Amino acid sequence: MLKEAIYHCNDIPYLFKVGEHEVKLRIRAKRGDVSECSVVHSDRYRPPGAGDMLKLTLAASTELHDYFEGVVYAKVKRLRYQFLLTGYDGAEVWCGEYGASESRRAAGAFHCASLAAQDDGAPPSWVKDAVVYQIFPDRFARSGASGEGAATEAWTATAAPTRHSVYGGNLKGVIDKLPYLQHLGINVLYFTPVFESPSNHKYDTTDYYKIDPAFGTLEELKALVADAHARGIRVVLDAVFNHSGDGFFAFRDVLTQGAASPYADWFHVRSYPVVQSPEPSYESFGIHSPSMPKLNTRHPDAAQYLLDVAAYWIEEAGIDGWRLDVANEVDHEFWRRLRRRVKGLGAELLLVGEIMHQSGAWLRGDQFDGVMNYLWRDAMVDFFARQTTTARAFAGQIESVRMLYTDSANSAMFNLLGSHDTERFLTACSHSGWGWQEKQETARLKLAVLFQMTYIGMPMIYYGDEVGMTGGEDPDCRRPMIWDERRQDQSLLSHYRTLIALRRDNPALTDGSFDIWFVDEAANTLGYVRRCGRQCLAVLINNSPNIVKTEPNLRKLPGVRTGEPLFGAGSCEWREDAAAFTLPAYGGLIIRFDP
């Protein structure tokens, strides 16, 4: 047994509270090294060596590691615990605060001094049922006159958008399309910024308290939220608190008064007088973006202003939460204060950060409920779209991402295939090296959507993906929504609707555990199981251009003897204690097992 690979710490994500008296413990070991793992636990004030033993389950396997976990009940809300790992050769190793050792005493013990000190950080109860739809307001739908930001491009123009293109999408247009969104089955709308700004994307805010006139009015936003709520759809807005636009009143004052401005410390000014060119004399978003000065969220007045903004739109318009832009560039204490302010208005309000890398530091229960799960997206693009990874590597990547976070954080992730900042997933499929074959590319998108809708977390659909829209990197991925049904991929749209409905109607897909069942490296197929109570669903994925017949081991599914297809074009043959599944090229199958 490789002791150097054994790892646990008494902190998130290896220890986290899952109930008033329950804590989940997780430990890592070298892949294939450990046949059995248990934890010995007791009240930390009992004499060392005492305690109860709980056998842990193999929860995940990555390319390098196995993860074992289990839930311990702590009557007095405090713990002393040690792990006992048994290798396939019978060797035993203890793991405690001093590391891994054959000696129980030498390994020491871990402590959880108080479960009460663990932050629950529970996300809104509705996230487990959520299917999110992202709208870029200027490009989704237009109704009537487009207001002050009159359209300068034809909605159906074939030319790609430029960074300055305006198409005239507005809030009334979204209201008109709510029946379409309701029929699609989504129940959360996420809007990129809607506040006053000179750009089409609105990430350079001029007035945080005003809806951009090109999009509409406060009353129209209220009407949209009310209509959406009546249809069972929640509304999440985008908050840009890392930076403002250079038309923001506080920054205009700094440009005018320099160091004498009462708002000078709201920004990170390096030198005076303040200049914007040829290079800004202040910190800004990205590389030399003079129109987006970085806000100083450590300044008490600036922070208070932004906290008040967050509260205002919840109280005034009734929105259901915030997506926080460039969240990893803002100090943690500001996000803690924001969480306290927002959650103080309602525990069911959502906070999701935009972070494109490992996000554990923001997901400790004191800042965000979840993040935009770009690590997950990267694995999805490589496996399904570009086809540069194998089934085993994909399974390992997905499990690596899942093991980075607590169960509650995983449930509150925006699991996206694309966004306004990425090329469209269908376009990414054309980069696989197989050449552009429309039916094959769409089949791979459908397969990715099958995985997305049957995985834990909140599936997020970027507007238009459901009808087959394509587009390269920003701004090409921001083309106007296709509303002409003759140009929409109706088969793909039906696929989305069917899978969203299946997700809604099956608790195992919204509130169930996730376990990899099998991986067939040669055939590039995998299967996984979702369980909730007595319901057990298995999903089989064939990410290859070949028809595949696979016979996974049913002994890994205790109690399962037969089942029936719930979704997909594949088929299954049942024998005693065995089954054979036939999967079409780039096809999948959902099996509902008998309890």
Side-chain angles (χ1 to χ4, degrees), residues 71-72 95 106 182 184 249 266 292 349 360 394 458 465 510 533 583:
V71 176
V72 170
C95 179
Q182 185 178 17
L184 180 60
F249 82 92
W266 283 34
M292 298 182 184
L349 295 165
F394 171 71
M458 293 184 279
D465 278 357
T510 57
L583 303 173

Side-chain angles (χ1 to χ4, degrees), residues 42-335:
S42 69
D43 181 345
R44 66 189 297 259
Y45 287 115
R46 292 183 64 189
D52 301 318
M53 181 172 284
L54 173 70
K55 184 178 179 180
L56 305 183
T57 59
L58 177 61
S61 294
T62 70
E63 285 284 86
L64 299 177
H65 300 112
D66 286 333
Y67 291 83
F68 296 85
E69 64 182 25
V71 176
V72 170
Y73 179 83
K75 181 178 180 179
V76 293
K77 301 184 182 181
R78 57 181 183 249
L79 286 173
R80 174 197 289 112
Y81 60 98
Q82 295 173 295
F83 297 96
L84 176 61
L85 300 92
T86 304
Y88 284 94
D89 60 358
E92 293 185 341
V93 169
W94 290 90
C95 179
E97 206 165 38
Y98 302 131
S101 173
E102 286 81 4
S103 167
R104 181 177 183 179
R105 181 180 180 85
F110 291 104
H111 293 260
C112 176
S114 172
L115 265 64
Q118 299 289 320
D119 197 325
D120 286 308
S125 61
W126 51 264
V127 299
K128 67 180 185 299
D129 301 315
V131 178
V132 184
Y133 192 91
Q134 181 188 357
I135 288 178
F136 193 86
D138 183 57
R139 311 294 161 83
F140 183 65
R142 183 173 66 199
S143 178
S146 57
E148 293 182 14
T152 58
E153 307 282 347
W155 194 267
T156 56
T158 57
T162 70
R163 296 198 177 277
H164 304 290
S165 297
V166 174
Y167 291 85
N170 52 27
L171 297 180
K172 284 185 178 179
V174 179
I175 294 173
D176 290 346
K177 297 302 182 182
L178 285 176
Y180 165 85
L181 295 167
Q182 185 178 17
H183 186 207
L184 180 60
I186 62 94
N187 50 20
V188 180
L189 288 179
Y190 151 49
F191 287 83
T192 55
V194 298
F195 307 122
E196 187 177 69
S197 154
S199 66
N200 57 36
H201 55 74
K202 311 302 177 189
Y203 280 97
D204 47 351
T205 309
T206 298
D207 189 339
Y208 286 88
Y209 283 97
K210 183 179 180 183
I211 300 297
D212 192 286
F215 291 163
T217 65
L218 170 61
E219 293 309 312
E220 287 169 347
L221 177 64
K222 288 182 177 181
L224 191 160
V225 172
D227 196 345
H229 284 176
R231 299 173 185 272
I233 299 172
R234 292 178 169 84
V235 177
V236 173
L237 298 186
D238 206 325
V240 190
F241 293 160
N242 173 68
H243 56 272
S244 69
D246 61 356
F248 180 47
F249 82 92
F251 188 73
R252 299 306 301 173
D253 196 79
V254 174
L255 284 177
T256 302
Q257 299 193 56
S261 168
Y263 307 107
D265 291 334
W266 283 34
F267 304 91
H268 299 268
V269 181
R270 287 190 287 262
S271 62
Y272 294 96
V274 179
V275 297
Q276 294 190 276
S277 63
E279 182 178 314
S281 60
Y282 48 87
E283 292 184 29
S284 61
F285 168 70
I287 301 175
H288 304 324
S289 303
S291 64
M292 298 182 184
K294 182 175 175 62
L295 288 158
N296 179 13
T297 51
R298 291 184 180 274
H299 189 278
D301 293 340
Q304 189 62 51
Y305 176 89
L306 298 173
L307 295 174
D308 290 343
V309 167
Y312 172 82
W313 291 104
I314 293 168
E315 295 175 321
E316 185 68 23
I319 66 169
D320 300 283
W322 292 101
R323 178 266 197 188
L324 295 318
D325 188 57
V326 203
N328 53 325
E329 296 185 21
V330 176
D331 65 283
H332 290 283
E333 183 54 32
F334 174 78
W335 294 133

